[in-house]
Amino acid sequence: MAEDRHRDRRLAMVRRQIEGRGVCDPRVLVAMRSVPRHRFVSRTLAKDAYKDHPLPISAGQTISQPYIVALMAEAAAIEPDHRVLEVGTGSGYGAAVLAELGASVVSVERHRKLADAATKVLGDLGYANATVVCGDGSQGHPPGAPYDAVVVTAAAPSIPSALIDQLADGGRLVIPVGPPSFSQNLTLVRRSGEETTSERFCPVRFVPLVEDS
């Protein structure tokens, strides 16, 4: 019965919060209907998992608002044969959505506790195509490069050059850009050869991207 209630909430979430706001990629909508967001938060917050806002997780981090997760996945234009880098695993929910799209996902998380917890829940849910590594996400993950898409779930004051360098030709980087504690701009960067173009398309608020010293 509990899983039925969660499923009903999830379907309503997609209909009202995501599809209702203009996300229209059918594969992204299917992924958002499929991934059980309540499995990525504490049991005490499970009842709120499909509401229209972020939720707290360990290490002072958050699980992103579902609409933003869907919007970023749509902007990244992920196909089943793509290699995808996610920077900032957090709970693992974003990685699950990317994996549900059929991509081979490497997700980098600097907090060991979060990385371990995300690895467990992704494994429990059968996402064998999502791998979590612990490290400094601002430097990307060179062993898996080049990536068809890079999705960053923390705000950087500027676009890290390491992430651009690890994009494949034709690849797309989706990243919040702006100062911490203020509204940032969700930015889409496209790479063509050695050239890049960027466009801002949505104001957002994310935790800061932290570089290891």
Side-chain angles (χ1 to χ4, degrees):
M1 291 295 292
E3 288 303 315
D4 289 343
R5 287 195 297 271
H6 285 307
R7 185 188 65 246
D8 290 345
R9 290 168 180 160
R10 187 160 61 249
L11 295 178
M13 172 195 77
V14 174
R15 185 174 64 254
R16 297 168 184 167
Q17 304 173 30
I18 297 171
E19 195 171 13
R21 288 182 180 174
V23 174
C24 58
D25 184 324
R27 296 178 58 252
V28 172
L29 296 175
V30 168
M32 297 301 294
R33 293 186 191 107
S34 301
V35 178
R37 190 171 187 255
H38 64 279
R39 293 288 300 275
F40 294 88
V41 298
S42 66
R43 289 185 179 181
T44 57
L45 292 176
K47 66 183 184 303
D48 299 321
Y50 300 104
K51 293 183 178 179
D52 187 28
H53 53 71
L55 291 170
I57 57 174
S58 300
Q61 304 299 298
T62 61
I63 178 173
S64 294
Q65 178 185 6
Y67 167 68
I68 295 297
V69 173
L71 184 66
M72 294 177 78
E74 182 175 61
I78 293 164
E79 298 294 335
D81 61 343
H82 280 179
R83 290 186 58 79
V84 178
L85 172 66
E86 181 188 43
V87 175
T89 312
S91 68
Y93 175 64
V97 171
L98 300 174
E100 189 71 37
L101 290 166
S104 176
V105 181
V106 176
S107 186
V108 183
E109 172 55 56
R110 67 187 305 270
H111 296 282
R112 170 61 67 182
K113 181 178 180 180
L114 289 178
D116 290 346
T119 295
K120 183 178 188 309
V121 68
L122 288 166
D124 289 347
L125 292 172
Y127 290 113
N129 54 329
T131 301
V132 179
V133 297
C134 191
D136 179 2
S138 69
Q139 300 304 308
H141 186 64
Y147 299 99
D148 299 287
V150 177
V151 177
V152 183
T153 65
S158 60
I159 298 170
S161 59
L163 301 184
I164 296 291
D165 292 342
Q166 292 171 41
L167 268 184
D169 188 11
R172 300 156 73 91
L173 165 65
V174 184
I175 180 172
V177 179
S181 303
F182 293 91
S183 179
Q184 302 109 17
N185 290 294
L186 197 58
T187 302
L188 172 63
V189 180
R190 297 180 178 89
R191 180 171 184 174
S192 178
E194 295 304 312
E195 302 296 323
T196 60
T197 59
S198 63
E199 62 177 292
R200 299 174 177 178
F201 62 98
C202 180
V204 290
R205 288 286 296 273
F206 275 81
V207 298
L209 178 64
V210 178
E211 297 186 34
D212 292 341
S213 57

